[in-house]
Amino acid sequence: MSSFARLRVLLPAAAVPLLLAACATPIPPTDVGGGPGSRPGVCNPEAARWAVGRSPSADVVERARVESGSRSVRVLEPGTAATMDYREDRLNIDVNERGAITGLRCG
């Protein structure tokens, strides 16, 4: 088979996935908070700074997660073992020995 004949067969076959992708309906992003200009699911700790000084109750932790735009959250008390992996979608809430939130950060 000549190069021209192969090209005539392969070119339409390669175009089919592109045409199907162009017809697909995009999935709209979900608004999970994080403030103006934030990307959904990406942690923005500044949006939850109001929580510093408060007790990490379930309501406060969940509100901080939602407002920071994070998909997950973990509360880190003194001496708590935690993995060192960085996740842009996770909010870390640091708590002191008196049980008050001292800081919020992503990771």
Side-chain angles (χ1 to χ4, degrees):
M1 183 182 279
S2 72
S3 297
F4 181 71
R6 278 191 214 135
L7 185 59
R8 282 186 45 198
V9 172
L10 293 177
L11 192 56
V16 170
L18 294 173
L19 291 172
L20 290 175
C23 295
T25 304
I27 299 170
T30 56
D31 183 14
V32 293
S38 67
R39 295 182 354 227
V42 176
C43 174
N44 174 14
E46 294 301 318
R49 288 286 172 211
W50 56 265
V52 173
R54 296 182 184 221
S55 174
S57 67
D59 292 339
V60 168
V61 169
E62 179 60 12
R63 180 177 162 203
R65 183 196 66 78
V66 170
E67 291 185 12
S68 71
S70 302
R71 289 194 176 109
S72 65
V73 63
R74 63 182 176 179
V75 177
L76 300 171
E77 297 174 351
T80 301
T83 60
M84 297 302 294
D85 63 318
Y86 180 83
R87 290 185 37 199
E88 70 176 4
D89 66 338
R90 178 172 56 201
L91 176 67
N92 291 311
I93 299 178
D94 295 314
V95 177
N96 66 16
E97 58 281 339
R98 293 179 314 217
I101 296 172
T102 58
L104 300 109
R105 57 193 164 83
C106 300

